[in-house]
Amino acid sequence: MTKQQNILIIGAGLCGSLLALRMGQRGYNVSVCEKRPDLRKVNLDSGRSINLAFSDRGNKAMKLVGIEDKVKALCIPMNGRMLHDIEGNTVFAPYSGREHEYINSISRDQLNALLLDEAEKHKNVNVYFNKKCKSVDFEKTTALFHDYETKNEFIEDADVIIATDGAGSIMRQSYYLGKKFLFSFSQEYLTHGYKELSILPTKKGDYKAYKNALHIWGREAFMLIALPNLDGSFTVTLFLSYADGEYNFNNLITKERVIEFFNKYFKDALNLMPNLADDFFKNPTSPLGTVKCSPWHYKGNTLLMGDAAHAIVPFYGQGMNASFEDVVEFDKVLEEHEGNWETVFKIYEASRKKDTDAIAELAIDNFHEMKGHVNQAVFREKRNLEMTLEKHFPNEYSSKYSLVTFNVNIGYREAMLQGRAQDKAILNMLSDGKLDLKDDLKTILEKVKTATNAILEDDRIAGLKQ
Amino acid sequence: MTKQQNILIIGAGLCGSLLALRMGQRGYNVSVCEKRPDLRKVNLDSGRSINLAFSDRGNKAMKLVGIEDKVKALCIPMNGRMLHDIEGNTVFAPYSGREHEYINSISRDQLNALLLDEAEKHKNVNVYFNKKCKSVDFEKTTALFHDYETKNEFIEDADVIIATDGAGSIMRQSYYLGKKFLFSFSQEYLTHGYKELSILPTKKGDYKAYKNALHIWGREAFMLIALPNLDGSFTVTLFLSYADGEYNFNNLITKERVIEFFNKYFKDALNLMPNLADDFFKNPTSPLGTVKCSPWHYKGNTLLMGDAAHAIVPFYGQGMNASFEDVVEFDKVLEEHEGNWETVFKIYEASRKKDTDAIAELAIDNFHEMKGHVNQAVFREKRNLEMTLEKHFPNEYSSKYSLVTFNVNIGYREAMLQGRAQDKAILNMLSDGKLDLKDDLKTILEKVKTATNAILEDDRIAGLKQ
C-alpha cells in the first residue's frame, strides 16, 4: 500500500519540519535528515534572535496541520509600518484598512521547534540531526550523507526524496551538475547585503520602541528595519550596498565610522542601540539573492520545495509564508492524485511555480518601496486612499499589499497583476488630477475599478504576459 | 607602454576572431586559443551549412574594422518573411517599409574564416587551434589549456583575458564555481528544441524556393524556417517541443512518423525535401537557452564577451549581431579609457548589459510572434499599417522590428521600450475601433505617436521599470 512508502526529507528547517508533520499525518514513513544540531537542545549562546513576518498564507498551513493556536501564542501582531524620518519623526502607516488584517513577528527558532515537536509526535516520523547531505542520485532515488557525529558517510534509499534544504540546496546542485536533463536555473544577487543588529529591552524588560509595528528607517539608497521579539527586544536589520555610496559595507570598517553613519542617518535608532558597534562587528554581513529553477522534480523520484526551489529576498515578508503555502498546495494535489508521484509533482509545479515566480518579483519591488517610495507624497496619498477604501468597502477593495498578504484565496501571481494595475491606475489618476479626493468614496472606488480594468484589458490585447 | 600588453582571447568563433582583429588593429599583442581545429583547413564533410541572419548592428562592426565590402559579398539579402500556410499558400511580409532596410543570410563558417584571415594579417595577432580551455584563474589572470595535438596541459599567462568562448563558456563556469565574489547567473531553457535540415538546390543549382526571404511555416505550437545559402540550398530549422503535443522530438523516432508529421503540417516544404528523413536522423536535436550573468568582469583582469556573457535564443536573428555590437561598444569605451582595464570593463558592462538583457527578452517574444502571431488578422493589420507608415514617413516612424534591427543609433533596450509601447498602442486602437484606416496617414501617424507617448508616460508614473 502507498502509505507504507518511505519518504526522505532533506532539511528540518521551517518547510521541512512542516512537511514532515503533514506527511506524518498522512501516514507515510518519514525520515528527515538535517545537517545542523537539534536547535531544541543546543544553547545558541550567540544571543541572536532571528524573527520573521508570519501572515495569512503561512497560517493557512498551520490550520491544515491543526496548530494555529499554538503558533498564535508565539506571535506579536504588527499592524502597520512605523516610518522614521531622518529627524526622528514617526508616522504610522497601517497595512490594511481592515482591522483584522495584520502581520506578525515570530521567532524562527521557536516556530521551528514547535513544528519539530509536533512532527515527532507521530511514530512514523523520525528526525536525524547532524547529517549533512552531500549529493542526491535522483535516478536511483538515494542520497549521500556525511554524519558529523560518527564522521562516516552513508547512503539513504527512499521511495521519494523531497529536498527542503534551503537556498543553497544540495539536491538542486545535483540537478544542476548532473546534466541529465535540461535544468533552468538562476541565482540573482542584489548589490546590497544585510546585517542583523538589535535593540535590547529596557532594564525592566520593556520595549524601547512601539511594539506592534514593523519599524522602517528608509533612506533611498539604504534602510534599517526592526521587528519586535517576545522578550522585549527588537531584531534590527541594516540593508546597505556592499560597494556603492559614501557609506557601504566595504568601507564601514571601524567603530567610529559605523557610529558616524548611524548618527547621520539613524540618530533615533542609534539612541536605542548602545550595543550597535559590538553587534556590527560580531554579526556577519550576508548577501540577498533570488533563486529560481525548473523543473522542480525529477520524474516521480525527487522534488524540491520551499527555498530550495524558490529563494526570495525578504522585503515582502513572504519567504516563510510562501514555503508554508507550498506544503498546503502540495497537499491539495497529493489528496487528488495520491499514488502517482510523477503526476503529483508535475501538477504541483505547473500550478505553483507561476506564484513563487511572482512573489520573487514582488519582493524585489518592495525593497524599492520600503527604502524610498514610502517617503514620497504621491505614494503616501495612494496608500491613504487605499486604507480609506478598504475601511469603507471591506468586501470590494484590497490594495496590492492586502491581495498579496491577506487574500489567501488567490495566488501571488493574480495578486501581483491585479495589484500592479490598481497601483498604476491610482498613481496616474492622482498625478493627472483625475481623482478628486473630495468626491464621494463610492465614485472614487468606481473610477479606480474602471481604470484598473482598462489597464488589464489593454495589457491583454497587447499580448503582454498575464 | 600599454600597447605592449598581452591580451589572451579564449575562443576564435565569430566574436573572438572579430575582437582579435580589432585588438590587433589597436596594436596589442593578441593570442587567441580555440578548442576546435582551424575551420579553414578542415574538410567539414558533414555537408551541413549553418547560416545566420546578419544585419545593421553586425555591419557596424564590419565598418569599424574596415571589411564591410568583403562581408557584403557573402550576404544574401532577405527583404521579408515568406509565410507558408498549411495549404501551401504563401504571403510575403516585408521587414520594413524602407527599401534599404533588410536582413541577410550569411554562412557562419565563411564569415568566421574571413574574420580569422583578417585578424592573422596582423603580426601581433596569433591564433592557436585545438587548445581547449579547462579553467581560468581570474585572480592570477592565467588560463589552463589542454592541447589536443600534444595531449599536454599548459598555462597561459596574460595581462588581460577576454573569454569569447560561447554559451558554454569555461571562464563563466570558473566565475560560478570559484565563489570568490557574488556572481548572478541564469540559464533558462525553452521547452522546445531545434534540429537543422536542408532544402538542396535543383540539379541545375537553382533555388527551389524564393531566394530573398526568410521562409516561415508557423503552426502555433511549433514552426519550420528556412534561410538561403549561396550554393542554392536553404538551411531549414525545425523548432518543436521535446515532450509536449501529438508530435514532438521525443516521439518522432521513425522515418514514417517524421514523414507523416511533415506531410500533415509542412506539405509544401516536404515536397522540396526528399532528403528529409535522412537529415532528421543524422542531425542532432539541440536545446534553446538564454544565459545571463553579472558581473561580466573580475576587476581589471578578465572579461566575458559575446555569447559567453549573454547567450540568447535565435528568433530575432540578433545573436551574432549583438556579439559584434559588443566589440563596437567595447571599442568605444576602450578608446576613452585605454590604460585602465578595470574602468573599461566596468563602464562597458554598465552601459551594455541593459541592452543584451533586452535583446534576450525580445528574442523569446519573437518566438511566439513567428510561430503564431504572424498568422493572426490583427497582427497582420498592424504590420501592414506599420509598413505603410514607414514608407510614407521614413524619418518619422519605425516599427519595433525596425528599431531593433535597423536603428543602430539606439540600443536594444530603448528599441524594446519604444517598440512595445507602439505595438500596444496600435493593437489596442485597432481592437477598439479607434483607428480609421481610411483617415489620412498623417492623422493616423499622429494618433499612434500620441497613444504611444501616453503609454510610456503612464508606465513612467507607475514606476514600472524603464
Side-chain angles (χ1 to χ4, degrees), chain A residues 144-204:
Chain A
L144 174 67
F145 289 91
H146 173 80
D147 189 325
Y148 284 129
E149 288 161 336
T150 66
K151 314 287 180 202
N152 292 329
E153 293 198 340
F154 65 96
I155 287 175
E156 272 286 300
D157 196 341
D159 295 305
V160 165
I161 299 177
I162 303 181
T164 52
D165 51 346
S169 172
I170 297 299
M171 189 165 91
R172 197 185 63 229
Q173 193 182 77
S174 292
Y175 281 4
Y176 179 80
L177 296 175
K179 300 196 177 172
K180 297 287 175 76
F181 55 93
L182 294 182
F183 186 55
S184 293
F185 167 70
S186 71
Q187 60 180 33
E188 304 277 344
Y189 293 101
L190 299 185
T191 51
H192 284 58
Y194 73 95
K195 187 185 283 284
E196 278 149 351
L197 305 163
S198 57
I199 295 174
L200 300 176
T202 63
K203 281 180 186 167
K204 287 183 179 173

Side-chain angles (χ1 to χ4, degrees), chain B residues 359-400:
Chain B
I359 192 61
E361 267 192 60
L362 286 164
I364 291 171
D365 289 352
N366 224 40
F367 180 38
H368 304 294
E369 178 167 322
M370 289 173 78
K371 69 185 168 56
H373 303 175
V374 289
N375 301 325
Q376 292 171 10
V378 66
F379 178 86
R380 289 195 181 187
E381 205 175 2
K382 176 180 79 72
R383 283 296 293 168
N384 289 340
L385 172 60
E386 291 188 289
M387 293 307 99
T388 308
L389 292 176
E390 288 188 339
K391 192 172 171 185
H392 287 85
F393 306 104
N395 300 316
E396 292 187 64
Y397 191 80
S398 288
S399 71
K400 184 174 74 182

Side-chain angles (χ1 to χ4, degrees), chain A residues 173 176 179 182-189 242 287 365 424 427-428 431-432 457-459 461-462 464, chain B residues 173 176 179 182-189 242 287 424 427-428 431-432 458-459 461-462 464-465:
Chain A
Q173 193 182 77
Y176 179 80
K179 300 196 177 172
L182 294 182
F183 186 55
S184 293
F185 167 70
S186 71
Q187 60 180 33
E188 304 277 344
Y189 293 101
Y242 279 100
D365 290 352
K424 188 173 177 177
L427 288 170
N428 272 288
S431 161
D432 298 348
E457 177 66 4
D458 282 1
D459 285 351
I461 288 171
L464 296 183
Chain B
Q173 193 182 77
Y176 178 80
K179 300 196 175 170
L182 293 181
F183 186 56
S184 293
F185 167 70
S186 72
Q187 60 181 33
E188 304 277 344
Y189 293 101
Y242 279 101
K424 187 172 178 179
L427 288 169
N428 272 288
S431 161
D432 298 348
D458 282 2
D459 285 352
I461 288 171
L464 297 181
K465 287 163 208 152

Side-chain angles (χ1 to χ4, degrees), chain B residues 160-374:
Chain B
V160 165
I161 300 177
I162 302 181
T164 52
D165 52 346
S169 172
I170 297 299
M171 190 165 91
R172 197 185 63 229
Q173 193 182 77
S174 293
Y175 281 3
Y176 178 80
L177 297 174
K179 300 196 175 170
K180 298 286 177 74
F181 55 93
L182 293 181
F183 186 56
S184 293
F185 167 70
S186 72
Q187 60 181 33
E188 304 277 344
Y189 293 101
L190 298 184
T191 52
H192 284 58
Y194 73 95
K195 187 185 282 286
E196 277 150 350
L197 306 164
S198 57
I199 295 174
L200 300 176
T202 64
K203 282 180 187 168
K204 287 185 180 172
D206 295 332
Y207 291 91
K208 283 188 188 165
Y210 179 66
K211 176 184 175 186
N212 294 111
L214 191 156
H215 294 260
I216 305 180
W217 294 257
R219 299 294 180 264
E220 297 288 343
F222 44 84
M223 73 168 169
L224 196 69
I225 67 168
L227 280 76
N229 298 311
L230 287 172
D231 67 1
S233 68
F234 287 85
T235 301
V236 178
T237 310
L238 172 65
F239 298 95
L240 179 68
S241 175
Y242 279 101
D244 299 329
E246 185 185 355
Y247 297 92
N248 58 51
F249 278 122
N250 291 348
N251 70 25
L252 286 178
I253 51 175
T254 65
K255 290 192 175 187
E256 292 68 31
R257 201 165 150 76
V258 170
I259 301 292
E260 175 190 305
F261 173 52
F262 272 71
N263 196 47
K264 191 163 172 185
Y265 289 105
F266 310 115
K267 192 162 182 151
D268 61 332
L270 178 61
N271 290 338
L272 309 177
M273 301 166 75
N275 50 313
L276 169 68
D278 288 342
D279 281 357
F280 196 94
F281 292 101
K282 194 177 64 189
N283 296 341
T285 305
S286 305
L288 294 158
T290 301
V291 174
K292 295 178 186 169
C293 65
S294 180
W296 288 346
H297 67 101
Y298 179 76
K299 298 187 176 171
N301 298 0
T302 59
L303 175 71
L304 298 164
M305 205 184 272
D307 283 3
H310 50 74
I312 64 178
V313 294
F315 305 106
Y316 227 109
Q318 286 293 321
M320 169 178 66
N321 294 291
S323 292
F324 284 171
E325 199 180 46
D326 277 4
V327 177
V328 176
E329 295 299 310
F330 178 73
D331 191 68
K332 261 189 220 164
V333 181
L334 189 56
E335 181 65 30
E336 270 191 57
H337 300 278
E338 203 154 22
N340 187 337
W341 289 111
E342 186 161 7
T343 300
V344 170
F345 294 174
K346 264 193 187 166
I347 294 178
Y348 166 66
E349 180 175 350
S351 73
R352 183 66 179 153
K353 186 168 158 54
K354 65 179 190 323
D355 288 320
T356 58
D357 283 353
I359 192 61
E361 267 192 60
L362 286 164
I364 291 171
D365 289 352
N366 224 40
F367 180 38
H368 304 294
E369 178 167 322
M370 289 173 78
K371 69 185 168 56
H373 303 175
V374 289

Side-chain angles (χ1 to χ4, degrees), chain A residues 113-132:
Chain A
L114 171 64
L115 289 167
L116 286 168
D117 286 345
E118 296 293 323
E120 286 185 333
K121 284 182 184 169
H122 296 267
K123 284 185 186 160
N124 49 327
V125 176
N126 288 288
V127 188
Y128 307 96
F129 295 92
N130 300 303
K131 313 283 181 274
K132 182 184 163 43

Side-chain angles (χ1 to χ4, degrees), chain A residues 319-338:
Chain A
M320 168 178 66
N321 295 290
S323 292
F324 284 171
E325 199 179 46
D326 277 4
V327 176
V328 176
E329 294 300 309
F330 178 72
D331 190 69
K332 262 189 218 164
V333 181
L334 188 57
E335 181 65 30
E336 270 191 56
H337 301 278
E338 203 154 22

